[in-house]
């Protein structure tokens, strides 16, 4: 079969591979739509997770079940399914401990385009099919389902990590598609003031649509100073980091109230260390928590998030700015994600 792959760090191209083999609990899926991610860009062009050879890229997609293993109970060939970007081994000890995304080792629940071939092929393989697939409701289009693979569950995980509650003032650093879903998730959780950080005009407009009350440009000065000015010097209750680099932790800590929480879902592609400002971190005693996490994945979560879309509580169509048709357009879509033109939020390729 054909697939669009990372050939080595900095290089991508089309390759031929054997169709994946279906184990007894697995499924083989024929994709209906796929979407490239900023994470593919970190992986290929920053070499952020190390060298990979001839690995098919992509971890955001939905499709039609082509084959299931003998122990798969709830899915059969022909079913339309959603698949989360993270596909844990649900019987692992890490999953039993509450961290399915780290099943088999740190970040090892993230298999597509990390430890195995991803979704940019004619077929892709899903482990633990009963736990990692979810039926795609008729009312959700394949392109919307792509947003449910990663952008929604990741942005919402930032909200979960920051533990956003009714009335909280939130600073959301980054309003690409992940940050936009963090804004939408904060809004659904009842945040009051939502200060969003970013500059691309489409993203700013979408941030307002999803519930941002204030917009800050990181290009116009220090993020913390701007956030403090917008909160009468008091600071924010919660911060979600979904963009920028290691330097964003400093303003996040500075803008945060004592007792506040920072949830990071940004994939830090470069830089050896993160610096935490000592004084603003309460000289070590400020009760300012910082937690970073990979989103959990899993069928239950997919079904619950899809329900928000089905019932009209979450409209993911505002994320999709570029639409392509046909597998050969995957390359163009990935390069859009790499080059991030000003009018881009998220591209989707319908197959
Ligand atoms: P984008 O590149 O589309 O968005 C990044 C955002 O951060 C933009 O709003 C950008 O602003 C802003 N930004 C850039 N530089 C700075 C800065 N110095 N300070 C503050 N803000 C800045 O990324 P995505 O939304 O696609 O993805 C966000 C991150 O999430 C990526 O690192 C991605 O790899 C990661 N990710 C993590 C996952 C997880 O499970 N934890 C899963 C999926 C993705 P501007 O408007 O100017 O461009
Ligand atoms: Zn992704």
């Amino acid at each position: 079969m054909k697939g669009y792959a990372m050939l080595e760090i900095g290089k991508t191209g089309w390759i031929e591979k054997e169709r994946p083999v279906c184990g007894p609990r697995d499924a083989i899926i024929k994709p209906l739509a796929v979407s490239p991610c900023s994470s593919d860009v970190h992986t290929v062009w920053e070499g952020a997770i190390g060298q990979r050879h001839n690995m098919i890229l992509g971890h955001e997609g939905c499709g039609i079940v082509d084959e299931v293993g003998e122990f798969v109970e709830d899915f059969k060939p022909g079913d339309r399914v959603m698949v989360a970007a993270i596909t844990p081994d649900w019987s692992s000890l890490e999953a039993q401990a509450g961290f399915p995304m780290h099943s088999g080792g740190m970040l090892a629940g993230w298999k597509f385009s990390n430890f195995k071939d991803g979704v940019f092929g004619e077929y892709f393989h899903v482990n633990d099919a009963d736990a990692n697939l979810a039926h795609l409701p008729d009312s959700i289009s394949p392109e919307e389902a792509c947003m449910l693979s990663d952008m929604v569950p990741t942005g919402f995980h930032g909200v979960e990590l920051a533990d956003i509650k009714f009335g909280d003032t939130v600073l959301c650093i980054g309003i690409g598609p992940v940050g936009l879903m963090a804004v939408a998730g904060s809004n659904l959780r009842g945040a009051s003031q939502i200060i969003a950080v970013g500059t691309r005009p489409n993203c700013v407009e979408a941030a307002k649509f999803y519930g941002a009350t204030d917009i800050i440009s990181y290009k116009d000065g220090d993020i913390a100073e701007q956030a403090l000015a917008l909160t009468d010097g008091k600071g924010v209750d919660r911060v979600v980091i979904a963009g920028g680099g290691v330097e964003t932790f400093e303003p996040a800590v500075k803008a945060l109230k004592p007792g506040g929480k920072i949830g990071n879902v940004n994939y830090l592609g470069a830089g050896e260390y993160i610096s935490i400002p000592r004084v603003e971190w309460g000289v070590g005693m400020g009760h300012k928590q910082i937690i970073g996490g990979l989103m959990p994945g899993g069928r239950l979560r997919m079904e619950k998030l899809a329900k928000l879309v089905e019932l009209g509580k979450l409209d993911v169509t505002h994320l999709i700015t570029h639409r392509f048709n046909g597998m050969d357009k995957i390359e163009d879509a990935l390069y859009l994600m790499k080059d991030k033109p000003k009018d881009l939020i998220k591209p989707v390729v319908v197959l």
Side-chain angles (χ1 to χ4, degrees), residues 81-253:
V81 288
M82 303 180 280
V83 193
I86 306 303
T87 50
D89 295 312
W90 289 93
S91 56
S92 66
L93 296 181
E94 292 87 353
Q96 290 181 31
F99 294 93
M101 65 296 270
H102 303 298
S103 62
M106 190 159 63
L107 308 183
W110 167 26
K111 297 179 191 299
F112 295 133
S113 65
N114 182 6
F115 293 120
K116 74 173 188 188
D117 286 328
V119 303
F120 293 171
E122 286 177 76
Y123 298 93
F124 63 89
H125 168 271
V126 176
N127 57 294
D128 265 1
D130 278 325
N132 284 320
L133 295 176
H135 289 286
L136 175 56
D138 289 339
S139 62
I140 298 183
S141 69
E143 60 176 48
E144 290 172 301
C146 284
M147 300 302 108
L148 285 161
S149 268
D150 194 359
M151 299 300 95
V152 178
T154 296
F156 280 25
H157 194 48
V159 172
E160 290 165 337
L161 294 174
D163 191 20
I164 290 166
K165 296 190 161 46
F166 295 125
D168 277 344
T169 296
V170 176
L171 173 65
C172 184
I173 302 181
I175 46 169
V178 173
L180 287 171
M181 288 302 94
V183 169
S186 304
N187 202 41
L188 281 166
R189 281 241 177 148
S192 53
Q193 189 177 12
I194 303 176
I195 304 168
V197 184
T199 67
R200 279 180 275 156
N202 274 352
C203 295
V204 167
E205 197 187 316
K208 289 178 185 161
F209 171 80
Y210 285 120
T213 53
D214 303 85
I215 307 288
I216 282 180
S217 165
Y218 60 94
K219 294 176 182 167
D220 287 350
D222 186 71
I223 295 171
E225 278 173 21
Q226 295 185 70
L228 286 163
L230 286 167
T231 53
D232 298 326
K234 293 189 182 118
V236 298
D237 299 298
R238 303 290 191 247
V239 181
V240 179
I241 304 179
V246 289
E247 73 286 350
T248 55
F249 288 80
E250 185 174 335
V253 169

Side-chain angles (χ1 to χ4, degrees), residues 268-282:
L268 301 168
E272 285 305 302
Y273 296 99
I274 291 164
S275 33
I276 307 299
R278 180 182 60 85
V279 172
E280 289 86 354
W281 204 43

